[in-house]
Amino acid sequence: MGANDSSWPGPLALDDPGPIVALRQAFTGAGFDGDAVRRSLGAHDETVVRAGEAPLLRRRIEGLGALGTLIALFVLDLPVPVAEVEEALPGLTAARLEALGLAATVGGLVRTDVRIVPHGELVIVSDPGGRGVSQPDHVAGLHNASGMLDQLTVRRPIGTALDVGTGSGIHAITARRHSDRVVATDINVRALNFAAFNAILNGTPDIELRRGSFFEPVAGERFDLLVCNPPFVISPEAAFLFRDSGLEGDTVSRQLIEGTPALLEEGGYATVLVSWSQPNDEPWSAPLRRWLEGSGCDAILLLSSTQDPLAHASNWTRDRAAGDVDAFESALARWLDYLERHGIEGVSYGGVVLRRRRAGSNWIQEHVMPASGLEAAGAHLLRMFEAQDYLAGLRGDEELLHERLALTGTARVAQHVSLRENRWNVDAIRIRLDEGLGFDAEVDASTARFLAALDGNRTVAEVVDALAEGQPDREQVSRSALPVVRGLLELGYVERAPG
């Protein structure tokens, strides 16, 4: 059923798209977008408002007119007088907001029953977060994981896309911008209600919504793109559909990775967020590599973090038990006991980016993601896949000597210097990417000179010859350069010159 089908029961009214469209027009007219909200709140991330901050942030938005009213009502969860709300939303009365399921009016004040947060050009409706999360079918809003999935998705014009466990629908809506057809699944009918509302709100009402667990609603179908932000938390609970799968340990992540290839068209891409049990005596990528054996997919494995059992347990229990020491202690003990019983020595988080390719031998790359700096990485990931295909086809790294390579336009080389004895001394030279995965690495002076010489006009051999001039062992310079070139290509710092 599409988003325009009103049969998805839930708190939001879907029977008449007219008021929903009018709501979006009012948001647009008020300038209610991600940049404006972030700027108005003086925040790096407009989706996070910590407990107790609302009175402070209210003062930041004084005098902003309609924009300030919308931020107060839908982002800060503050009561706003009816007259101000109706002035900020021309054509929509407080009664109409109530009929849509978005707010309630008591004593001349409008108070929202949902959270509405802009993300770029999108506007996403969800349940309020924080300690108020109590119902099993809670529909989560924008958070770190949803942002990571958005950034790690390969974007290109395609025919079909699938969003597994769609929740609020943000990833299905985003995929519709570059896909002819999008299917979104979720076992939570309440989430499908929110997804349908958001699809209409964001001008993509033709998304196909299907109820069911993970891949069940699309059995036997194939897609050019699959995205999934599942309930991957390794948890002793089954309290929330958006967080807890009810399966033991990291079973849900394993099953999703093992099942994804069957849903991909040849050449199709998938990005799945996962968490996994991390043994102390294994590399972080070992469990993921086992899950991918015989998958028929090339893969880029990305580690975002690893936590010990105590950090993992406290991360998922602290907020809900805030202010109640006994409740926190009880929850912490329950989670730690669960992890110990299952022999879980650490919990890792990250993403797996797959490409279906059944011909030839498949390859796997693994990378640790920088702690910060992640941006839209689709183009970067495509460059990494292309580079690895090329490298996998070489008969030996010596063939790299005949390539003409150039630094990508987003690569930056910076020197870090300090003043010692009245002279500036170079302490470190770093190369980073101002895009995508935001890789950042330290290089030595000779590598920096080599990078500067990669202009796309000369072959690697010609650059090596120029740098080796006057040195006794040109072959040694060449041998030292080749692994550097391979690494730069793998990470997307350099690319092959056209032609």
Side-chain angles (χ1 to χ4, degrees):
M1 290 180 285
N4 272 329
D5 193 308
S6 60
S7 62
W8 297 117
L12 304 181
L14 303 173
D15 55 322
D16 182 4
I20 305 175
V21 173
L23 179 67
R24 180 53 195 261
Q25 291 171 341
F27 285 155
T28 301
F32 187 67
D33 60 38
D35 287 340
V37 172
R38 191 163 45 244
R39 185 171 57 251
S40 300
L41 297 177
H44 174 69
D45 186 344
E46 76 276 5
T47 70
V48 177
V49 178
R50 295 173 179 81
E53 285 187 334
L56 168 66
L57 295 175
R58 176 169 228 162
R59 285 166 171 76
R60 288 190 179 277
I61 59 174
E62 288 178 353
L64 293 183
L67 176 60
T69 298
L70 298 178
I71 294 174
L73 181 63
F74 293 122
V75 179
L76 302 183
D77 190 24
L78 294 169
V80 179
V82 169
E84 292 183 22
V85 172
E86 294 184 345
E87 183 178 358
L89 297 172
L92 288 170
T93 63
R96 178 65 80 174
L97 285 181
E98 190 163 354
L100 286 173
L102 297 175
T105 302
V106 178
L109 294 175
V110 179
R111 185 123 198 190
T112 184
D113 296 322
V114 298
R115 190 153 196 262
I116 304 181
V117 174
H119 176 72
E121 296 179 352
L122 303 182
V123 179
I124 301 299
V125 183
S126 68
D127 280 321
R131 282 180 286 168
V133 178
S134 59
Q135 56 196 39
D137 56 359
H138 174 89
V139 179
L142 300 176
H143 48 79
N144 291 339
S146 57
M148 180 183 293
L149 180 59
D150 184 27
Q151 305 288 37
L152 294 180
T153 298
V154 173
R155 306 287 180 196
R156 58 189 182 132
I158 55 172
T160 57
L162 171 65
D163 179 14
V164 179
T166 192
S168 68
I170 180 173
H171 301 295
I173 294 165
T174 304
R176 183 63 183 87
R177 302 292 177 90
H178 59 94
S179 309
D180 294 333
R181 172 174 167 259
V182 176
V183 177
T185 72
D186 207 298
I187 197 171
N188 182 0
V189 69
R190 195 165 178 276
L192 294 171
N193 172 257
F194 275 79
F197 190 96
N198 284 325
I200 299 169
L201 184 65
N202 288 281
T204 55
D206 55 350
I207 291 172
E208 299 175 36
L209 301 173
R210 303 183 191 177
R211 188 184 185 191
S213 179
F214 299 122
F215 301 149
E216 288 177 1
V218 291
E221 299 181 51
R222 291 184 181 273
F223 300 87
D224 300 304
L225 173 69
L226 183 154
V227 293
C228 182
N229 178 18
F232 57 61
V233 178
I234 297 177
S235 163
E237 300 181 352
F240 305 111
L241 290 172
F242 77 91
R243 187 194 70 179
D244 309 312
S245 68
L247 301 175
E248 293 294 320
D250 56 17
T251 299
V252 66
S253 293
R254 175 180 58 79
Q255 289 182 348
L256 287 168
I257 294 301
E258 291 177 346
T260 289
L263 279 85
L264 290 179
E265 296 280 9
E266 184 72 7
Y269 287 86
T271 300
V272 182
L273 299 190
V274 290
S275 72
W276 62 98
S277 173
Q278 181 63 64
N280 289 336
D281 59 353
E282 282 191 333
W284 66 263
S285 61
L288 302 182
R289 287 178 174 272
R290 286 194 290 270
W291 298 349
L292 286 168
E293 289 177 1
S295 68
C297 288
D298 303 310
I300 296 178
L301 314 179
L302 299 166
L303 173 69
S304 60
S305 66
T306 299
Q307 297 177 338
D308 63 29
L310 183 59
H312 172 77
S314 64
N315 182 54
W316 294 103
T317 56
R318 181 187 295 111
D319 286 347
R320 290 192 63 219
D324 188 335
V325 175
D326 291 338
F328 182 33
E329 176 64 36
S330 175
L332 198 60
R334 185 172 65 256
W335 279 64
L336 289 172
D337 177 67
Y338 176 86
L339 297 173
E340 183 178 2
R341 282 189 288 108
H342 287 79
I344 297 173
E345 299 171 318
V347 178
S348 290
Y349 296 87
V352 176
V353 185
L354 303 176
R355 181 190 58 185
R356 183 71 164 157
R357 183 174 64 87
R358 286 169 286 191
S361 299
N362 293 118
W363 51 260
I364 296 177
Q365 269 192 313
E366 58 185 68
H367 302 288
V368 177
M369 297 172 60
S372 61
L374 178 64
E375 298 182 7
H380 186 189
L381 288 164
L382 283 173
R383 196 163 70 243
M384 292 171 67
F385 273 94
E386 180 181 342
Q388 191 61 34
D389 287 343
Y390 164 71
L391 291 168
L394 295 179
R395 289 170 292 183
D397 281 358
E398 291 75 14
E399 292 188 33
L400 289 169
L401 292 170
H402 307 297
E403 282 294 337
R404 292 182 297 114
L405 303 176
L407 277 176
T408 61
T410 57
R412 301 287 182 266
V413 179
Q415 288 187 337
H416 298 257
V417 299
S418 61
L419 185 64
R420 294 195 299 272
E421 298 178 356
N422 297 320
R423 294 184 60 182
W424 291 108
N425 293 273
V426 178
D427 295 327
I429 304 173
R430 304 197 67 85
I431 179 172
R432 65 161 287 117
L433 286 172
D434 284 347
E435 59 143 350
L437 298 173
F439 290 136
D440 188 333
E442 186 171 346
V443 297
D444 57 26
S446 61
T447 300
R449 289 193 295 271
F450 179 74
L451 289 168
L454 293 177
D455 57 7
N457 296 315
R458 293 179 290 178
T459 66
V460 172
E462 289 170 334
V463 172
V464 167
D465 285 339
L467 295 177
E469 186 175 351
Q471 297 189 34
D473 191 350
R474 186 266 184 199
E475 291 302 319
Q476 177 57 40
V477 175
S478 177
R479 286 193 298 272
S480 299
L482 290 178
V484 173
V485 172
R486 171 177 277 273
L488 291 169
L489 274 167
E490 285 181 342
L491 293 171
Y493 283 112
V494 302
E495 55 191 343
R496 299 164 69 197

